[in-house]
Amino acid sequence: MRLHISSLCVRYGKLTALRDVTASADGGKIVCVLGPNASGKSTLLRCIAGLQSPSSGKVLFDGSSLLRLHPRERASKVAWVPRSSEVGGRFTLRHVVELGRYAIGPSPARVDDALATVDLLDRADTIWHEASAGMKQRASIARVLAQRTPGGLLVLDEPTSALDLRHIRIVSDVLRKCALEGDLVIAAIHDVALAINLADTAFVLRNGDLVLAGQSSAVLSPSSLGDVFGVDLAWATDDGGKRHLVSP
């Protein structure tokens, strides 16, 4: 499975959100998308997931445009986690996770397994509007786990932004497991330290331009990221010999 983005442009009136973005990624990898606020990350993810039509250019996954697929077929290939989800009515967390099976067919076992994976099985009957932000985010991730077909495309917009340290680790391990099973995982991440530990490949955006793309070990360096974010960065080594990116 391969994702290919070619000359992608997105405009909102006079605003250019993405400008001539070209990149590619292979299945079995985790791609982290980084960049300052309003750099085009969410727009890029929506185009990749087949949820938004570009002004020009194209996105192909496994040689096909997701925009042209029947919704049922698209649901079998791509799963999407937005930055936040709005749910009306008195849906429980379990109901929200079950929605991931809507286009594919019910599977109580897959739903239970997904809830357990994100540490929510014992809170599954919590009403959505009474759940914490972190619980909602984990439920959204469980929804795509219940939906996904191994070898597909997982697209996540800031999937760890509301999570505590323990659940960040759990979700990171889940995403790695999905990649090992053949999924292409693409996630917008604000936490640079997390991206360094998680990403195989990195796409870095600034003002709608893709300014850096490649293996994370080469792309996510103090000099390159410091230039993009406008801060001084350096490597620091802990007592165990592991390097961490810090702002002196």
Side-chain angles (χ1 to χ4, degrees):
M1 298 294 180
R2 184 171 177 82
L3 174 76
H4 184 65
I5 305 166
S6 178
S7 301
L8 194 72
C9 295
V10 175
R11 302 180 187 88
Y12 302 111
K14 295 181 179 180
L15 173 66
T16 299
L18 292 174
R19 185 182 298 102
D20 197 28
V21 172
T22 295
S24 61
D26 293 316
K29 302 292 185 182
I30 297 177
V31 179
C32 287
V33 181
L34 298 94
N37 295 141
S39 59
K41 299 185 296 296
S42 294
T43 300
L44 177 60
L45 293 187
R46 289 182 60 82
C47 289
I48 290 172
L51 300 173
Q52 180 168 341
S53 298
S55 302
S56 60
K58 59 184 178 181
V59 177
L60 301 178
F61 180 64
D62 194 26
S64 301
S65 170
L66 294 174
L67 287 167
R68 298 178 180 177
L69 297 181
H70 186 278
R72 187 181 298 275
E73 185 179 1
R74 186 165 63 220
S76 71
K77 289 180 176 290
V78 59
W80 161 251
V81 176
R83 186 168 52 237
S84 61
S85 299
E86 299 297 329
V87 177
R90 290 184 61 79
F91 278 69
T92 65
L93 299 182
R94 180 183 295 278
H95 290 148
V96 170
V97 176
E98 288 173 344
L99 291 174
R101 302 292 308 177
Y102 179 78
I104 304 170
S107 175
R110 284 286 301 272
V111 169
D112 280 350
D113 183 62
L115 285 162
T117 297
V118 299
D119 192 28
L120 273 181
L121 188 58
D122 62 340
R123 306 295 296 274
D125 293 328
T126 301
I127 300 299
W128 177 269
H129 294 297
E130 298 172 0
S132 69
M135 291 170 66
K136 291 177 180 177
Q137 194 164 52
R138 284 151 53 204
S140 294
I141 293 167
R143 175 178 51 78
V144 303
L145 295 178
Q147 173 191 345
R148 66 177 279 266
T149 301
L153 177 62
L154 295 186
V155 187
L156 310 97
D157 196 352
E158 299 182 31
T160 61
S161 60
L163 301 186
D164 58 42
L165 291 175
R166 176 171 174 267
H167 290 108
I168 288 173
R169 172 60 63 87
I170 288 173
V171 168
S172 297
D173 290 346
V174 167
L175 297 183
R176 176 55 62 191
K177 181 175 183 291
C178 290
L180 289 172
E181 292 176 353
D183 291 354
L184 174 56
V185 180
I186 301 183
I189 301 287
H190 269 301
D191 185 338
V192 175
L194 176 62
I196 288 171
N197 289 326
L198 187 62
D200 301 303
T201 301
F203 296 164
V204 182
L205 294 165
R206 179 176 58 192
N207 296 328
D209 295 310
L210 182 65
V211 294
L212 297 166
Q215 288 188 342
S216 60
S217 58
V219 168
L220 303 182
S221 68
S223 58
S224 61
L225 290 177
D227 180 61
V228 169
F229 287 97
V231 295
D232 292 328
L233 296 171
W235 290 118
T237 304
D238 63 23
D239 292 340
K242 186 174 182 179
R243 294 195 308 172
H244 303 272
L245 200 63
V246 298
S247 180

